[in-house]
């Protein structure tokens, strides 16, 4: 079982390639090496709306993004995950109890509303997608391949269905 492996695994047709951080490639062919690939999306930490709060202004209230946000709202939104699943924007907006998942970004060192907006958007970008988990079961019958994959190595598998990377760690190897 390969679960959480470092670098990038790219699955294309019947081949998974491991691109190590230093650039070498280790091909894994589904016809000979892959026993199974299972992934699931954990939406427990997924956010679609984030409020931003910075340092206190001269009146003692925290700086917000309202005055610099193009929408004029005190939050930013990103529904890209639900849109990628085929939900239409009007349906999402008309069903906030299903799709709105709120969070807060706070940084008491930020004194600029524009900087706060940028940081709030960056924070939302990190959390607007689910955490993906993967189990990859491989048969490593090649000595050089087995030497390149070690227990507790970390890699990311690219999932083209969600356009996201799935963190995987090698937890066992069968040769």
């Amino acid at each position: 079982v390969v679960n959480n492996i470092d670098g990038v695994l790219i699955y294309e047709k019947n081949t998974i390639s491991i691109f190590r951080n230093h650039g070498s490639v280790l091909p894994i062919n589904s016809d000979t090496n892959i026993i199974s690939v299972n992934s699931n999306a954990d939406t427990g930490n997924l956010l679609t709306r984030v409020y931003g709060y910075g340092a206190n202004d001269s009146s003692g209230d925290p700086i917000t993004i309202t005055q610099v946000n193009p929408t004029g709202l005190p939050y930013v939104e990103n529904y890209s995950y639900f849109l990628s699943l085929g939900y239409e924007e009007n349906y999402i907006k008309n069903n906030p109890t299903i799709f709105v998942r709120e969070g807060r970004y706070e940084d008491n060192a930020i004194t600029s509303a524009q900087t706060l907006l940028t940081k709030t958007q960056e924070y939302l970008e990190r959390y607007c997608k689910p955490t993906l988990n993967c189990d990859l079961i491989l048969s490593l019958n090649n000595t050089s391949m087995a030497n390149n994959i070690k227990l507790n190595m970390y890699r990311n598998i690219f999932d083209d269905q969600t356009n996201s990377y799935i963190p995987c760690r090698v937890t066992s190897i069968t040769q």
Side-chain angles (χ1 to χ4, degrees):
V1 175
V2 176
N3 188 8
N4 287 345
I5 61 174
D6 181 29
V8 178
L9 286 178
I10 306 266
Y11 182 76
E12 295 177 297
K13 296 188 181 176
N14 65 347
T15 301
I16 289 183
S17 297
I18 300 174
F19 294 85
R20 295 182 180 280
N21 290 336
H22 53 79
S24 65
V25 177
L26 176 64
I28 299 173
N29 187 298
S30 63
D31 293 334
T32 58
N33 303 105
I34 298 173
I35 297 170
S36 72
V37 179
N38 297 309
S39 64
N40 69 331
D42 178 1
T43 59
N45 292 323
L46 182 127
L47 298 174
T48 58
R49 177 183 291 171
V50 175
Y51 293 81
Y53 299 96
N56 288 345
D57 61 17
S58 59
S59 64
D61 296 321
I63 293 171
T64 67
I65 62 174
T66 306
Q67 64 267 34
V68 295
N69 191 352
T71 65
L73 298 169
Y75 55 81
V76 293
E77 294 181 305
N78 186 328
Y79 295 97
S80 60
Y81 172 66
F82 293 111
L83 292 168
S84 75
L85 295 177
Y87 291 101
E88 294 189 17
E89 192 168 340
N90 285 339
Y91 184 77
I92 292 170
K93 296 289 184 185
N94 291 330
N95 293 280
T97 56
I98 298 171
F99 299 103
V100 174
R101 298 178 182 204
E102 295 182 336
R104 292 173 63 105
Y105 175 78
E106 296 182 60
D107 187 337
N108 293 331
I110 296 177
T111 58
S112 159
Q114 188 61 52
T115 301
L116 179 61
L117 175 61
T118 300
K119 293 293 189 179
T120 303
Q121 290 168 327
E122 290 170 355
Y123 181 82
L124 177 57
E125 185 60 32
R126 280 196 314 266
Y127 290 98
C128 70
K129 298 177 183 98
T131 302
L132 299 172
N133 300 305
C134 177
D135 288 325
L136 176 62
I137 300 174
L138 302 174
S139 171
L140 300 178
N141 51 15
N142 174 317
T143 303
S144 66
M145 186 179 290
N147 289 339
N148 285 308
I149 296 181
K150 304 288 184 199
L151 285 175
N152 298 314
M153 289 177 75
Y154 287 87
R155 292 278 183 264
N156 290 317
I157 295 177
F158 184 77
D159 180 15
D160 58 356
Q161 290 180 329
T162 60
N163 199 31
S164 300
Y165 289 93
I166 303 171
C168 292
R169 183 176 61 87
V170 177
T171 56
S172 71
I173 299 172
T174 303
Q175 294 183 3

